PDB file of all heavy atoms in Angstrom:
ATOM      1  N   LEU V 226     -36.839   8.042 -11.136  1.00  0.00           N
ATOM      2  CA  LEU V 226     -37.685   7.954  -9.949  1.00  0.00           C
ATOM      3  C   LEU V 226     -38.368   9.300  -9.702  1.00  0.00           C
ATOM      4  O   LEU V 226     -37.738  10.353  -9.803  1.00  0.00           O
ATOM      5  CB  LEU V 226     -36.811   7.582  -8.748  1.00  0.00           C
ATOM      6  CG  LEU V 226     -37.540   7.142  -7.478  1.00  0.00           C
ATOM      7  CD1 LEU V 226     -38.385   5.905  -7.719  1.00  0.00           C
ATOM      8  CD2 LEU V 226     -36.535   6.873  -6.364  1.00  0.00           C
ATOM      9  N   ALA V 227     -39.662   9.241  -9.383  1.00  0.00           N
ATOM     10  CA  ALA V 227     -40.401  10.468  -9.102  1.00  0.00           C
ATOM     11  C   ALA V 227     -39.870  11.110  -7.823  1.00  0.00           C
ATOM     12  O   ALA V 227     -39.546  10.415  -6.862  1.00  0.00           O
ATOM     13  CB  ALA V 227     -41.890  10.168  -8.970  1.00  0.00           C
ATOM     14  N   PHE V 228     -39.831  12.440  -7.825  1.00  0.00           N
ATOM     15  CA  PHE V 228     -39.298  13.187  -6.692  1.00  0.00           C
ATOM     16  C   PHE V 228     -39.930  12.776  -5.358  1.00  0.00           C
ATOM     17  O   PHE V 228     -39.211  12.502  -4.390  1.00  0.00           O
ATOM     18  CB  PHE V 228     -39.469  14.688  -6.959  1.00  0.00           C
ATOM     19  CG  PHE V 228     -38.853  15.569  -5.913  1.00  0.00           C
ATOM     20  CD1 PHE V 228     -37.562  16.034  -6.054  1.00  0.00           C
ATOM     21  CD2 PHE V 228     -39.572  15.924  -4.782  1.00  0.00           C
ATOM     22  CE1 PHE V 228     -36.991  16.849  -5.083  1.00  0.00           C
ATOM     23  CE2 PHE V 228     -39.012  16.730  -3.807  1.00  0.00           C
ATOM     24  CZ  PHE V 228     -37.718  17.192  -3.952  1.00  0.00           C
ATOM     25  N   PRO V 229     -41.277  12.697  -5.274  1.00  0.00           N
ATOM     26  CA  PRO V 229     -41.870  12.346  -3.966  1.00  0.00           C
ATOM     27  C   PRO V 229     -41.462  10.965  -3.465  1.00  0.00           C
ATOM     28  O   PRO V 229     -41.348  10.743  -2.265  1.00  0.00           O
ATOM     29  CB  PRO V 229     -43.382  12.381  -4.233  1.00  0.00           C
ATOM     30  CG  PRO V 229     -43.564  13.071  -5.527  1.00  0.00           C
ATOM     31  CD  PRO V 229     -42.298  12.959  -6.295  1.00  0.00           C
ATOM     32  N   ARG V 230     -41.249  10.032  -4.399  1.00  0.00           N
ATOM     33  CA  ARG V 230     -40.837   8.690  -3.957  1.00  0.00           C
ATOM     34  C   ARG V 230     -39.403   8.700  -3.454  1.00  0.00           C
ATOM     35  O   ARG V 230     -39.072   8.040  -2.479  1.00  0.00           O
ATOM     36  CB  ARG V 230     -40.969   7.681  -5.097  1.00  0.00           C
ATOM     37  CG  ARG V 230     -42.341   7.048  -5.101  1.00  0.00           C
ATOM     38  CD  ARG V 230     -42.286   5.585  -5.456  1.00  0.00           C
ATOM     39  NE  ARG V 230     -42.077   4.695  -4.330  1.00  0.00           N
ATOM     40  CZ  ARG V 230     -41.886   3.396  -4.472  1.00  0.00           C
ATOM     41  NH1 ARG V 230     -41.861   2.856  -5.664  1.00  0.00           N
ATOM     42  NH2 ARG V 230     -41.713   2.636  -3.419  1.00  0.00           N
ATOM     43  N   LEU V 231     -38.553   9.445  -4.134  1.00  0.00           N
ATOM     44  CA  LEU V 231     -37.170   9.556  -3.685  1.00  0.00           C
ATOM     45  C   LEU V 231     -37.148  10.203  -2.300  1.00  0.00           C
ATOM     46  O   LEU V 231     -36.443   9.751  -1.398  1.00  0.00           O
ATOM     47  CB  LEU V 231     -36.366  10.390  -4.687  1.00  0.00           C
ATOM     48  CG  LEU V 231     -34.881  10.585  -4.348  1.00  0.00           C
ATOM     49  CD1 LEU V 231     -34.153   9.246  -4.288  1.00  0.00           C
ATOM     50  CD2 LEU V 231     -34.209  11.497  -5.371  1.00  0.00           C
ATOM     51  N   GLN V 232     -37.987  11.224  -2.157  1.00  0.00           N
ATOM     52  CA  GLN V 232     -38.077  11.918  -0.879  1.00  0.00           C
ATOM     53  C   GLN V 232     -38.520  10.950   0.223  1.00  0.00           C
ATOM     54  O   GLN V 232     -37.989  10.951   1.329  1.00  0.00           O
ATOM     55  CB  GLN V 232     -39.086  13.054  -1.029  1.00  0.00           C
ATOM     56  CG  GLN V 232     -39.003  14.103   0.046  1.00  0.00           C
ATOM     57  CD  GLN V 232     -40.220  15.014  -0.005  1.00  0.00           C
ATOM     58  OE1 GLN V 232     -40.792  15.243  -1.072  1.00  0.00           O
ATOM     59  NE2 GLN V 232     -40.625  15.502   1.141  1.00  0.00           N
ATOM     60  N   GLY V 233     -39.486  10.084  -0.121  1.00  0.00           N
ATOM     61  CA  GLY V 233     -39.976   9.093   0.837  1.00  0.00           C
ATOM     62  C   GLY V 233     -38.910   8.065   1.202  1.00  0.00           C
ATOM     63  O   GLY V 233     -38.767   7.683   2.361  1.00  0.00           O
ATOM     64  N   LEU V 234     -38.150   7.625   0.185  1.00  0.00           N
ATOM     65  CA  LEU V 234     -37.085   6.642   0.434  1.00  0.00           C
ATOM     66  C   LEU V 234     -36.050   7.210   1.392  1.00  0.00           C
ATOM     67  O   LEU V 234     -35.541   6.517   2.263  1.00  0.00           O
ATOM     68  CB  LEU V 234     -36.371   6.289  -0.873  1.00  0.00           C
ATOM     69  CG  LEU V 234     -36.984   5.279  -1.826  1.00  0.00           C
ATOM     70  CD1 LEU V 234     -36.050   5.074  -3.009  1.00  0.00           C
ATOM     71  CD2 LEU V 234     -37.199   3.959  -1.120  1.00  0.00           C
ATOM     72  N   LEU V 235     -35.734   8.497   1.210  1.00  0.00           N
ATOM     73  CA  LEU V 235     -34.631   9.094   1.958  1.00  0.00           C
ATOM     74  C   LEU V 235     -35.095   9.773   3.233  1.00  0.00           C
ATOM     75  O   LEU V 235     -34.286  10.095   4.095  1.00  0.00           O
ATOM     76  CB  LEU V 235     -33.909  10.115   1.075  1.00  0.00           C
ATOM     77  CG  LEU V 235     -33.275   9.551  -0.190  1.00  0.00           C
ATOM     78  CD1 LEU V 235     -32.832  10.659  -1.112  1.00  0.00           C
ATOM     79  CD2 LEU V 235     -32.089   8.663   0.168  1.00  0.00           C
ATOM     80  N   ASP V 236     -36.416   9.992   3.327  1.00  0.00           N
ATOM     81  CA  ASP V 236     -36.972  10.684   4.480  1.00  0.00           C
ATOM     82  C   ASP V 236     -36.315  12.056   4.683  1.00  0.00           C
ATOM     83  O   ASP V 236     -35.841  12.373   5.757  1.00  0.00           O
ATOM     84  CB  ASP V 236     -36.799   9.802   5.739  1.00  0.00           C
ATOM     85  CG  ASP V 236     -37.801  10.192   6.819  1.00  0.00           C
ATOM     86  OD1 ASP V 236     -38.780  10.875   6.472  1.00  0.00           O
ATOM     87  OD2 ASP V 236     -37.580   9.835   7.984  1.00  0.00           O
ATOM     88  N   MET V 237     -36.284  12.825   3.602  1.00  0.00           N
ATOM     89  CA  MET V 237     -35.730  14.193   3.669  1.00  0.00           C
ATOM     90  C   MET V 237     -36.866  15.173   3.385  1.00  0.00           C
ATOM     91  O   MET V 237     -37.865  14.813   2.782  1.00  0.00           O
ATOM     92  CB  MET V 237     -34.692  14.391   2.544  1.00  0.00           C
ATOM     93  CG  MET V 237     -33.349  13.774   2.784  1.00  0.00           C
ATOM     94  SD  MET V 237     -32.248  14.285   1.437  1.00  0.00           S
ATOM     95  CE  MET V 237     -30.886  13.190   1.702  1.00  0.00           C
ATOM     96  N   THR V 238     -36.674  16.426   3.783  1.00  0.00           N
ATOM     97  CA  THR V 238     -37.669  17.428   3.397  1.00  0.00           C
ATOM     98  C   THR V 238     -37.470  17.751   1.919  1.00  0.00           C
ATOM     99  O   THR V 238     -36.377  17.557   1.365  1.00  0.00           O
ATOM    100  CB  THR V 238     -37.495  18.726   4.198  1.00  0.00           C
ATOM    101  OG1 THR V 238     -36.228  19.288   3.874  1.00  0.00           O
ATOM    102  CG2 THR V 238     -37.570  18.460   5.696  1.00  0.00           C
ATOM    103  N   ALA V 239     -38.538  18.260   1.293  1.00  0.00           N
ATOM    104  CA  ALA V 239     -38.469  18.562  -0.132  1.00  0.00           C
ATOM    105  C   ALA V 239     -37.389  19.613  -0.399  1.00  0.00           C
ATOM    106  O   ALA V 239     -36.622  19.497  -1.360  1.00  0.00           O
ATOM    107  CB  ALA V 239     -39.823  19.037  -0.638  1.00  0.00           C
ATOM    108  N   GLY V 240     -37.321  20.625   0.472  1.00  0.00           N
ATOM    109  CA  GLY V 240     -36.355  21.698   0.269  1.00  0.00           C
ATOM    110  C   GLY V 240     -34.922  21.194   0.349  1.00  0.00           C
ATOM    111  O   GLY V 240     -34.081  21.513  -0.497  1.00  0.00           O
ATOM    112  N   LEU V 242     -33.880  18.075  -0.064  1.00  0.00           N
ATOM    113  CA  LEU V 242     -33.570  17.196  -1.203  1.00  0.00           C
ATOM    114  C   LEU V 242     -33.302  18.025  -2.453  1.00  0.00           C
ATOM    115  O   LEU V 242     -32.354  17.751  -3.192  1.00  0.00           O
ATOM    116  CB  LEU V 242     -34.726  16.211  -1.424  1.00  0.00           C
ATOM    117  CG  LEU V 242     -34.587  15.239  -2.584  1.00  0.00           C
ATOM    118  CD1 LEU V 242     -33.307  14.416  -2.472  1.00  0.00           C
ATOM    119  CD2 LEU V 242     -35.793  14.300  -2.656  1.00  0.00           C
TER     120      LEU V 242
END
Side-chain angles (χ1 to χ4, degrees):
Chain V
L226 193 60
F228 185 93
R230 270 218 88 186
L231 180 61
Q232 197 192 329
L234 279 182
L235 298 169
D236 202 17
M237 283 186 192
T238 64
L242 179 56

